Amino acid sequence: MSAPASAQPTEADRRRWTRYLVEERAEGLVYQKLADRKTGEEQEILQSLADAERRHEQHWLELLGGEPSRLPRAGVRTRLLAWMAGRFGSIFVLALAQNAEARSPYDTETYATPAMRADEKIHYEVVRGLAARGRRRLSGSFRAAVFGANDGLVSNLALVLGIGATGVSSSFVLFSGIAGLLAGALSMGAGEFVSVRSQRELLASTEANEDAAQSAGDLDIDENELALVYRARGMDQGEALARSRRIIAAAQEGVRRTTTGPIRAHLGADHEIVGSDWTAALSSFALFASGAIIPVLPWIFGLQGLTAILVALLLVGVALLATGAMVGILSGGPPLRRALRQLAIGFGAAAITYVLGLVFGVGAV
């Protein structure tokens, strides 16, 4: 596309085109790196995004009359995405790219084509769809990880601050923190084990056996009990009778048919979704402990009194901000707002126990 006949491009226009050029080139590199790490349909989609960015890049090159002798650096966000794309999983990169694609500069750019503006809007929807796929795959384990680590951070910070505010010795605060870590982690692990084991046992109790299918050949094709099995599983009367007649007819012809295969396969998939009880228990223990150890670190390294409390607050504050920002990135929301929300909730809970410790302080024991 050439410049509009009604407007002669200025030096400011050319500088703006140059910025667009480097941004499109850098964004194309992000999608290309992500495509190289994928296979199948996702690779094709990401490759198409990279190709579209190259078309946009070529548009600005044509307006500039070729490669400029000097190019500015791409923005910090785009360079960060390119760095992450080659080193981390695509979910974080796509979540950040989704926010970037939502703010297209071409809506008010005279020299951008209508097709480019449309591309940018489509790119946002495509990236959002890919990010949603990753979020769905990650949602269960990520929720458990954030919940476990955050629970350990907040509960043990509240414990050591509350105990510390009573004026007891540092060794007692340390002992309380370690005891809180172990008690909480063991409780989380045991609770997760019981939860997953109970769910697996519940699924197992719903599995159908093969007795009905094995007896199908002996049933009367018009008046039979097999339809009752299907009605008990939720089918209406007509559908249950029709299915049972098909199975009986096949059985009487000597074709081995069973209704339990698909059901068993489905229940097997359910068991896989639920996962292993021991894996869930150990993961919950480790995640809670990883968060709960942070508030105790100052006392482990010999700090005492107000100094230990302030260092604990600093360490936990950084951890809460990090987990909150990560939640924001993956959910497509503003990372800073999520980080501050996480910090406020954690420190609010800890402040309550600290005040209670001051109120009920018993002095040194």
Side-chain angles (χ1 to χ4, degrees):
M1 170 187 170
S2 57
S6 59
Q8 185 67 27
T10 64
E11 193 60 34
D13 290 329
R14 296 183 63 83
R15 286 196 299 270
R16 195 170 64 254
W17 298 345
T18 304
R19 288 198 303 273
Y20 292 150
L21 170 65
V22 297
E23 288 295 328
E24 295 287 5
R25 186 170 291 172
E27 289 172 9
L29 180 61
V30 170
Y31 293 129
Q32 186 62 61
K33 286 183 176 181
L34 291 177
D36 292 342
R37 295 167 63 93
K38 293 289 185 179
T39 58
E41 183 185 39
E42 288 193 20
Q43 183 182 52
E44 294 175 9
I45 294 172
L46 288 164
Q47 185 64 59
S48 296
L49 290 175
D51 293 341
E53 301 295 356
R54 292 190 187 100
R55 291 195 301 271
H56 297 178
E57 174 190 342
Q58 187 60 37
H59 169 79
W60 301 117
L61 277 173
E62 290 174 2
L63 283 182
L64 288 165
E67 184 80 14
S69 57
R70 296 182 60 185
L71 289 173
R73 298 184 71 186
V76 174
R77 178 190 291 268
T78 311
R79 283 186 280 129
L80 176 63
L81 285 176
W83 180 81
M84 292 176 66
R87 292 165 177 81
F88 301 107
S90 60
I91 175 59
F92 290 99
V93 182
L94 288 171
L96 288 170
Q98 176 185 334
N99 291 332
E101 292 287 0
R103 298 183 296 274
S104 171
Y106 296 160
D107 291 338
T108 56
E109 175 53 62
T110 306
Y111 291 89
T113 67
M116 291 171 67
R117 297 188 190 100
D119 278 349
E120 292 298 315
K121 289 180 172 57
I122 294 299
H123 288 183
Y124 171 72
E125 294 299 329
V126 172
V127 171
R128 185 169 67 170
L130 290 174
R133 284 188 185 186
R135 290 186 185 108
R136 284 193 293 271
R137 288 194 295 263
L138 191 63
S139 60
S141 57
F142 180 71
R143 181 201 63 80
V146 170
F147 174 74
N150 194 69
D151 193 18
L153 279 167
V154 175
S155 63
N156 228 27
L157 176 66
L159 175 64
V160 296
L161 290 189
I163 295 293
T166 64
V168 298
S169 65
S170 296
S171 60
F172 190 83
V173 177
L174 175 59
F175 171 79
S176 300
I178 297 298
L181 182 156
L182 291 174
L186 288 169
S187 175
M188 288 282 290
E192 198 70 17
F193 178 88
V194 171
S195 173
V196 174
R197 174 63 66 88
S198 299
Q199 193 169 356
R200 291 177 68 86
E201 290 172 349
L202 180 63
L203 287 172
S205 70
T206 65
E207 292 185 10
N209 60 47
E210 299 183 4
D211 293 345
Q214 291 171 352
S215 304
D218 297 325
L219 292 174
D220 186 284
I221 198 166
D222 293 315
E223 300 293 336
N224 66 79
E225 304 274 334
L226 186 57
L228 298 179
V229 176
Y230 292 114
R231 291 179 67 185
R233 295 176 188 170
M235 291 186 186
D236 60 45
Q237 184 175 0
E239 185 182 1
L241 186 59
R243 176 169 291 195
S244 63
R245 283 176 174 172
R246 288 197 302 270
I247 291 173
I248 292 169
Q252 290 176 344
E253 291 169 7
V255 180
R256 186 176 186 276
R257 298 289 296 272
T258 175
T259 62
T260 58
I263 294 174
R264 288 187 182 278
H266 173 71
L267 289 171
D270 284 343
H271 278 271
E272 292 302 316
I273 291 171
V274 173
S276 163
D277 41 24
W278 281 108
T279 300
L282 292 173
S283 298
S284 293
F285 180 95
L287 289 167
F288 183 95
S290 67
I293 192 65
I294 293 177
V296 189
L297 288 176
W299 286 272
I300 290 177
F301 287 99
L303 298 181
Q304 300 179 11
L306 183 60
T307 302
I309 290 175
L310 292 176
V311 172
L313 286 171
L314 176 63
L315 294 175
V316 173
V318 171
L320 288 171
L321 288 172
T323 57
M326 196 175 299
V327 170
I329 290 171
L330 290 177
S331 65
L336 180 59
R337 186 182 302 170
R338 298 293 192 277
L340 293 176
R341 182 182 67 182
Q342 200 95 331
L343 182 68
I345 292 172
F347 277 12
I352 292 172
T353 60
Y354 184 74
V355 171
L356 288 175
L358 291 176
V359 171
F360 297 101
V362 295
V365 217

